[in-house]
Amino acid sequence: MDTKITFQKTSCYFCSEWLDDKTVKDHLLTCGQVLEKCPYNCLSYIQRKNMDKHVKNCVKRDEKSVPISNGSDDFQNERLMAIEENLTFLRKSLNEEIRMRHDMIVELGHLKKRNQITDEWTSKVSEVLNLLQKRIEEEKECRQLEIKDFHGVIDNLLKQFQEIKGFRKDISRTLGSIETKIVSKTNIDPNAAYDDDVPEWKTTCKRLENELERLRFQSSDDINDCVKYISAINDKMNQIEMQQQNQHNITDDGLMHSLSRLDNFETELTTTSGLLSNVNDRTVKTDYNVKQVLNTVNEIEDKSDKVIKQVEIYKELVYETKQSLADLKEHLRVQRQFNMITNIRGHLIWRINHYTRKLNEAKESEVPLKSPLFSNKHYGYSLRLDVHLNGIGTWKNRNMIACLTVVNGDYDTLLPWPCKLKADIILRDQPENINDATDITKLVITKKRNDKLEYQNQFIHIPHQVINSGTYIRNDSIVLEVKILKTYDSYDSYNGSKSDTPTTQII
C-alpha cells in the first residue's frame, strides 16, 4: 500500500525560516536575504536588507549607467517590442471588430424581430381578407338564390297573368258567339225570337254580366296583388341591391385599406430586406476580417514563440560561450600559473571566483562550470570536475551539485576499458586560522564503459545553507579539491567495500 506524505511547512531557500506552504511566495517577495541586482549596474548582487546601504555607497551612483547589452540583444529586444506593439494593435482592432459585430448582431436581432412582427401582422391581414372574400362569396350565393327565387315568382305571376288573359279571351269569344246566335235568331224571326227567348236571353245576359263582373273584380284583384307583389319585390330588390352596394363599398374600402397597408408592409419589407442584406454583407466582411486578424495574430504568436525560443537559444549559446571563454581564461590562467606543467598526479585544487555572480547566472541557465583538465596519472584518463552551483532537477535552488567526468583524451586507445574511478570531492574551508578548518568531503565514483560511449556520472550535493553557514565562501570565492583514491580496471573488480571513507567531516 502506497503512503502519500504531505509537507505543510517548508524552509525559505535564503533565510532558512520555516514557513507554511501557502505563505512561501509572499515571504519571498519581502525576504531580506534575497539577492538583488544593483540598480546602478555596478555588477553587484546585494541582499535586499542591505540594498539601501549599498545604494548610498555605490561607486556608480553618480554615473549615468545603462544596462550593458550587445547588438544582437538590442536587435532581439527591438523585434520583441515591435511584435508586442503589433499584437497590441491587433488586439485593439480585434476588440473593435468584435464590438462592431456585436452591434450588428443586436441590430440584426431587432430587424428580425420587426420582420417577425410584420410577418405575423401580414398573416393576420391575409386571414381577415380571406374571411372577407369568403363572406362576399357567401353573400353573392345568397343574393343569387334570392334573385333566382324572385325570377321564379315573377315567372309564376306572368304565367297567371297569361292564363287570365286567355280566360278573358275565352269569355270574349263566348260572348261573341252568344251575340252572334242572338243576332242570327233575330234576323230570322225577330219578334218570335224576341218574345220566345227574352227570359232566357236576359237570364243568360245576367249570368254573363255577373260572370264578367266577377272576373273583372278577380282579375283586378289579382292584377293589384301582382302589382303590389311586384312593387314589393322591386322594393326588396332595390333594398338588396343597396345593401349589396353598401357591402361592396365597405368591402372595397377594406380591401383598399388592406392593400395600402400591404403596400406599406411591402415597402418596409423591401427596406428591411435591403438592411438585412447590408447587415449580412457587413457580417460576412467582418467574419472574413476577423478570420484574417485571427490568422495574423496566430502567425505573429507563432513567430513570437519562435523568436522567443530563438532568443532563449541565443541566450543559452551566449551564456555557454561566455562560460566557455571564462573557462578558457581560467584554464590559461592556471596553465600560466603552473608554467604549462600538466597536472598528472590525480589531484586538483580549483578556485571558483565571483561565486555570487556565477550563482545568479546559474539560476538563469543550467550550464555547468567546468574545471581545468587533469589526469589520474601520467598518460592516464583525462578528468574534469563539473559543478552546478544552483543544482539541477529536484536539487535545484537548494544545493550545489558536482560530478567527476571522464572526458575523451589523447591516450584513450592505450588505456584499459571499462574504467572506474573512486575519488573524494572536497569543499575547502577558508577560516582565518587554518587549524580551525572543517572541510566537507564527498565520496564519488565515476564510470565509463569505453572511449566512445557517454560517461556515467555519480553526483554529490552540498546544501546552500551549509555553504553559507561557515567560512567556505571567502572574498566571494570557493575552493574545490579532487583526490583520486583508486582506479579499477573493470566494474567487477570493485566489491563495494565501505572501509575507504575519508577522515574529514562528511555531510
Side-chain angles (χ1 to χ4, degrees):
M1 180 177 179
D2 296 335
T3 303
K4 186 175 181 180
I5 301 175
T6 302
F7 295 97
Q8 297 180 352
K9 289 183 175 292
T10 185
S11 61
C12 176
Y13 303 145
F14 300 98
C15 66
S16 301
E17 181 181 354
W18 284 96
L19 304 166
D20 293 335
D21 289 340
K22 297 180 181 179
T23 60
V24 171
K25 293 183 179 179
D26 296 334
H27 173 76
L28 290 177
L29 297 175
T30 59
C31 181
Q33 299 289 341
V34 175
L35 297 176
E36 292 182 348
K37 186 177 180 181
C38 176
Y40 296 108
N41 293 329
C42 66
L43 303 180
S44 298
Y45 288 85
I46 312 300
Q47 290 181 349
R48 186 179 290 164
K49 64 181 181 180
N50 299 326
M51 181 59 70
D52 294 336
K53 182 177 179 181
H54 172 77
V55 169
K56 292 179 181 178
N57 301 324
C58 183
V59 295
K60 291 190 176 182
R61 180 179 179 182
D62 298 330
E63 299 178 4
K64 294 182 179 179
S65 59
V66 294
I68 300 174
S69 61
N70 53 23
S72 62
D73 293 338
D74 293 339
F75 178 72
Q76 295 295 338
N77 292 330
E78 289 177 359
R79 288 188 64 185
L80 287 175
M81 291 176 65
I83 291 171
E84 289 178 355
E85 291 178 357
N86 292 332
L87 283 174
T88 303
F89 176 74
L90 288 174
R91 288 192 180 97
K92 290 182 179 179
S93 301
L94 183 60
N95 292 330
E96 185 66 22
E97 289 291 335
I98 291 171
R99 186 184 62 79
M100 292 177 62
R101 186 173 182 183
H102 181 267
D103 293 339
M104 284 190 291
I105 289 172
V106 173
E107 184 179 358
L108 181 62
H110 291 313
L111 290 174
K112 286 182 178 179
K113 186 175 181 181
R114 188 175 178 183
N115 190 15
Q116 184 178 1
I117 294 172
T118 304
D119 292 337
E120 291 177 356
W121 207 91
T122 304
S123 63
K124 290 181 180 179
V125 171
S126 300
E127 290 177 359
V128 173
L129 290 175
N130 292 328
L131 291 174
L132 287 174
Q133 190 70 26
K134 187 176 180 181
R135 185 69 179 273
I136 290 169
E137 293 295 335
E138 292 177 355
E139 192 69 26
K140 283 183 178 180
E141 291 179 358
C142 292
R143 297 294 182 270
Q144 288 176 359
L145 291 175
E146 289 180 357
I147 291 169
K148 188 175 181 181
D149 294 336
F150 292 154
H151 283 299
V153 172
I154 292 171
D155 292 336
N156 291 329
L157 291 173
L158 291 174
K159 187 175 180 182
Q160 290 178 4
F161 184 72
Q162 291 296 331
E163 288 178 356
I164 291 170
K165 285 178 69 176
F167 186 70
R168 291 180 67 182
K169 287 180 181 181
D170 292 337
I171 292 172
S172 298
R173 194 180 300 115
T174 304
L175 289 174
S177 64
I178 292 170
E179 187 179 358
T180 302
K181 286 181 180 181
I182 293 170
V183 172
S184 63
K185 286 183 179 182
T186 304
N187 289 330
I188 296 173
D189 190 1
N191 294 323
Y194 181 80
D195 293 336
D196 297 336
D197 298 331
V198 168
E200 185 180 354
W201 179 76
K202 287 181 178 181
T203 304
T204 301
C205 287
K206 189 68 174 175
R207 184 174 59 78
L208 290 173
E209 286 177 0
N210 294 329
E211 186 68 25
L212 284 172
E213 189 67 24
R214 187 183 64 78
L215 291 172
R216 189 181 293 116
F217 284 121
Q218 185 177 1
S219 62
S220 63
D221 293 335
D222 292 337
I223 289 169
N224 290 328
D225 293 336
C226 289
V227 171
K228 291 179 180 179
Y229 193 72
I230 289 170
S231 63
I233 290 172
N234 290 328
D235 293 337
K236 195 168 184 179
M237 287 291 293
N238 292 328
Q239 292 178 359
I240 291 170
E241 288 178 356
M242 289 178 65
Q243 291 179 359
Q244 190 172 4
Q245 186 66 32
N246 293 329
Q247 191 68 31
H248 281 303
N249 292 331
I250 294 171
T251 305
D252 291 336
D253 293 337
L255 287 174
M256 292 299 294
H257 182 68
S258 299
L259 290 174
S260 64
R261 293 294 297 273
L262 285 174
D263 292 335
N264 294 330
F265 282 135
E266 287 179 357
T267 305
E268 291 181 358
L269 285 174
T270 303
T271 305
T272 305
S273 299
L275 292 174
L276 286 174
S277 62
N278 293 330
V279 170
N280 289 328
D281 294 337
R282 291 179 65 185
T283 303
V284 172
K285 291 180 181 179
T286 303
D287 291 336
Y288 180 73
N289 293 330
V290 168
K291 289 181 180 178
Q292 284 186 339
V293 170
L294 290 175
N295 291 330
T296 305
V297 170
N298 292 329
E299 291 178 358
I300 291 176
E301 288 180 353
D302 294 338
K303 291 181 180 179
S304 300
D305 294 336
K306 291 180 181 179
V307 169
I308 291 171
K309 291 180 180 178
Q310 197 69 23
V311 168
E312 294 294 333
I313 293 173
Y314 288 157
K315 286 182 178 179
E316 291 286 340
L317 292 175
V318 169
Y319 182 78
E320 188 174 356
T321 303
K322 289 180 179 179
Q323 187 62 43
S324 299
L325 289 174
D327 293 339
L328 287 174
K329 290 180 181 179
E330 182 70 17
H331 296 169
L332 289 174
R333 187 186 65 79
V334 173
Q335 293 296 330
R336 288 170 184 172
Q337 184 178 358
F338 288 101
N339 296 323
M340 300 301 293
I341 298 175
T342 305
N343 187 350
I344 58 174
R345 294 177 290 105
H347 185 207
L348 172 69
I349 297 179
W350 178 27
R351 180 183 180 88
I352 301 176
N353 297 319
H354 306 291
Y355 172 78
T356 303
R357 177 173 61 81
K358 291 180 180 180
L359 177 61
N360 292 326
E361 292 175 352
K363 293 178 180 179
E364 299 178 357
S365 174
E366 293 186 357
V367 178
L369 298 178
K370 298 177 181 179
S371 71
L373 295 177
F374 67 102
S375 178
N376 64 325
K377 63 180 181 179
H378 197 59
Y379 303 114
Y381 298 106
S382 297
L383 305 175
R384 184 184 67 207
L385 183 64
D386 294 340
V387 177
H388 297 268
L389 294 180
N390 195 45
I392 57 174
T394 58
W395 304 98
K396 193 173 182 180
N397 298 323
R398 294 181 297 167
N399 299 271
M400 180 183 72
I401 302 296
C403 67
L404 183 64
T405 304
V406 180
V407 299
N408 295 331
D410 295 334
Y411 309 106
D412 288 346
T413 56
L414 304 177
L415 299 173
W417 300 95
C419 80
K420 187 174 184 180
L421 300 175
K422 180 180 178 183
D424 283 337
I425 298 177
I426 305 169
L427 176 62
R428 297 292 299 269
D429 194 5
Q430 305 177 66
E432 294 292 339
N433 185 2
I434 193 67
N435 295 324
D436 296 333
T438 304
D439 299 336
I440 298 175
T441 303
K442 294 280 186 175
L443 180 65
V444 67
I445 296 175
T446 184
K447 304 175 184 178
K448 191 174 182 182
R449 190 173 299 277
N450 53 48
D451 58 342
K452 296 180 181 180
L453 294 177
E454 294 293 333
Y455 49 83
Q456 299 178 1
N457 294 330
Q458 178 184 359
F459 294 91
I460 61 100
H461 71 281
I462 301 174
H464 289 163
Q465 185 177 1
V466 175
I467 296 175
N468 296 326
S469 61
T471 55
Y472 299 102
I473 302 174
R474 186 172 181 180
N475 298 327
D476 200 21
S477 301
I478 62 173
V479 178
L480 292 174
E481 183 178 3
V482 181
K483 293 181 179 179
I484 304 299
L485 302 178
K486 191 174 183 180
T487 302
Y488 302 92
D489 293 337
S490 64
Y491 292 167
D492 296 335
S493 61
Y494 178 64
N495 56 7
S497 175
K498 298 183 180 179
S499 60
D500 297 329
T501 56
T503 57
T504 55
Q505 179 186 0
I506 298 176
I507 296 178

